[in-house]
Amino acid sequence: MKKRGIRGSLIAAAAASLLVLTSCGGGDDAPTDTEQEAAQDGGELTQISVGVIPIVDVAPIYLGVQEGIFEEHGLDVELTLAQGGAAIIPAIQSGDFDFGFSNMTSLVIAKSQGLPLQLVAPGPQTTGEPGSDFSSLLVPEDSEAESIVDLEGQRVAVNTLNNINDTVLKEGMRQEGGERDSMELVEVAFPDMGGQLESGNVDAIMAVEPFATLAKNAGAREIYSPYAQPIEDLMIAGYFTNTDKIENDPELVDSFIAAMKESQQFAEDNPEAAKEILSEYTEIEPEVVEQLNMPRFPQEINRESTERIIELSEETGLITESVDINELIYEGS
């Protein structure tokens, strides 16, 4: 099968010295083999738009587009980059995206506020190996901090506030004996974190790949693995949609779920391909790509870790009304 092409459409501002963001989607004007087969069968590919983030977490969906997995399920996918899940959620509600990628805490908060959305497919999961995970809590090389507790009263950068990074940092601080709310969390886009750390504007950064490795190469030092340590087998994020789409077009949603599961499995089985695809939506030197710690890419949603995120969201005051996990997760029609 002919692989899908990548087309560029810049939509998110980022630090040019670290990363250039592009969109991915339908590709060449000439029809692919799958499109030709669909036309011969009297059918057409259904166009869908998906909001994603320029990090390693979304490598499977880019692979799924490239390898023709989504075409096999009748879908023509356009991928658009945004800063974080908190920005993608309103775009789903407005209809700008059909599906979106978001961290679990942001989804839990949105659901608790009555937004009509449901999680449909899993995203990345921690490796469970401190020091070898795809998220790192980093400090300058000359910092006196040796553990997360040493950051009490310090400024710590997260990509967006009130997301899963808040959750794991506060729980990590609590588990290590510190005061849960003692860090001053400040919002800094992933591409800007390394520069903010070097300039001294923040005392620490919570970065995910590829930004964690970029920061380490610039001299930053890891003191905690916030995805691997506080919650066992943490599923960090997932793909979601509006409940109206589920009700009005369940076949489309089921097709997306099936394609995502295959794409996740393909990335899990082909880690080198998952690294190589990063060049399609980031600009990272090949030697840096080889250094990256990649997440696991499960096919099924991790209900246990999701339930823990719901509990912690209540404990930390991010939500005032509990969320029914059965209403949050769509199991398919």
Side-chain angles (χ1 to χ4, degrees), residues 188-254:
V188 178
F190 281 130
D192 299 330
M193 283 187 180
Q196 292 296 303
L197 187 66
E198 290 181 12
S199 66
N201 291 333
V202 295
D203 301 294
I205 61 175
M206 182 177 167
V208 298
E209 296 288 23
F211 305 103
T213 289
L214 290 170
K216 290 174 186 176
N217 289 348
R221 177 168 53 84
E222 180 173 340
I223 61 172
Y224 189 73
S225 294
Y227 287 163
Q229 291 183 250
I231 301 175
E232 185 176 1
D233 295 329
L234 174 66
M235 186 183 75
I236 293 87
Y239 294 85
F240 69 102
T241 191
N242 193 293
T243 53
D244 285 344
K245 185 166 293 295
I246 294 174
E247 294 172 2
N248 296 330
D249 201 346
E251 291 185 1
L252 173 67
V253 176
D254 288 346

Side-chain angles (χ1 to χ4, degrees), residues 66-78:
Q66 176 179 276
E67 297 297 320
I69 293 172
F70 283 89
E71 286 185 354
E72 292 173 355
H73 290 275
L75 302 176
D76 179 16
V77 181
E78 181 178 6

Side-chain angles (χ1 to χ4, degrees), residues 271-285:
E272 291 308 310
K275 286 185 176 182
E276 289 174 7
I277 198 68
L278 296 176
S279 65
E280 300 291 356
Y281 62 102
T282 71
E283 286 191 357
I284 309 172
E285 295 298 325

Side-chain angles (χ1 to χ4, degrees), residues 7-278:
R7 66 187 180 204
S9 169
L10 200 63
I11 68 105
S17 60
L18 289 178
L19 190 63
V20 175
L21 311 183
T22 60
S23 288
C24 159
D28 304 330
D29 292 335
T32 65
D33 295 341
T34 302
E35 289 171 327
Q36 291 172 341
E37 292 170 5
Q40 291 171 358
D41 293 338
E44 294 181 357
L45 296 178
T46 300
Q47 293 186 343
I48 62 170
S49 58
V50 185
V52 293
I53 307 171
I55 50 181
V56 299
D57 306 40
V58 300
I61 196 169
Y62 277 87
L63 279 173
V65 171
Q66 176 179 276
E67 297 297 320
I69 293 172
F70 283 89
E71 286 185 354
E72 292 173 355
H73 290 275
L75 302 176
D76 179 16
V77 181
E78 181 178 6
L79 300 172
T80 303
L81 292 165
Q83 180 172 323
I88 294 174
I89 288 172
I92 291 288
Q93 302 308 313
S94 66
D96 291 336
F97 297 145
D98 297 300
F99 298 91
F101 177 87
S102 176
N103 71 86
M104 295 308 302
T105 296
S106 291
L107 289 177
V108 167
I109 293 173
K111 192 68 174 178
S112 75
Q113 294 173 342
L115 293 184
L117 56 81
Q118 282 188 289
L119 181 69
V120 298
Q125 182 169 307
T126 175
T127 64
E129 300 175 7
S132 299
D133 202 22
F134 71 106
S135 175
S136 302
L137 183 60
L138 301 165
V139 297
E141 188 174 16
D142 60 357
S143 171
E144 295 182 357
E146 297 294 336
S147 71
I148 189 172
V149 175
D150 294 329
L151 295 179
E152 286 188 309
Q154 304 294 299
R155 288 169 57 85
V156 180
V158 294
N159 69 313
T160 57
L161 298 175
N162 298 330
N163 75 358
I164 196 166
N165 296 337
D166 295 48
T167 301
V168 294
L169 287 175
K170 291 177 179 180
E171 177 62 8
M173 176 67 80
R174 184 195 69 79
Q175 289 183 8
E176 296 299 316
E179 290 294 326
R180 174 178 272 160
D181 295 318
S182 59
M183 291 174 285
E184 180 185 353
L185 301 182
V186 295
E187 187 169 303
V188 178
F190 281 130
D192 299 330
M193 283 187 180
Q196 292 296 303
L197 187 66
E198 290 181 12
S199 66
N201 291 333
V202 295
D203 301 294
I205 61 175
M206 182 177 167
V208 298
E209 296 288 23
F211 305 103
T213 289
L214 290 170
K216 290 174 186 176
N217 289 348
R221 177 168 53 84
E222 180 173 340
I223 61 172
Y224 189 73
S225 294
Y227 287 163
Q229 291 183 250
I231 301 175
E232 185 176 1
D233 295 329
L234 174 66
M235 186 183 75
I236 293 87
Y239 294 85
F240 69 102
T241 191
N242 193 293
T243 53
D244 285 344
K245 185 166 293 295
I246 294 174
E247 294 172 2
N248 296 330
D249 201 346
E251 291 185 1
L252 173 67
V253 176
D254 288 346
S255 294
F256 178 82
I257 294 171
M260 271 311 310
K261 285 185 176 182
E262 289 185 31
S263 299
Q264 290 272 114
Q265 191 63 55
F266 186 88
E268 183 76 8
D269 294 340
N270 299 275
E272 291 308 310
K275 286 185 176 182
E276 289 174 7
I277 198 68
L278 296 176

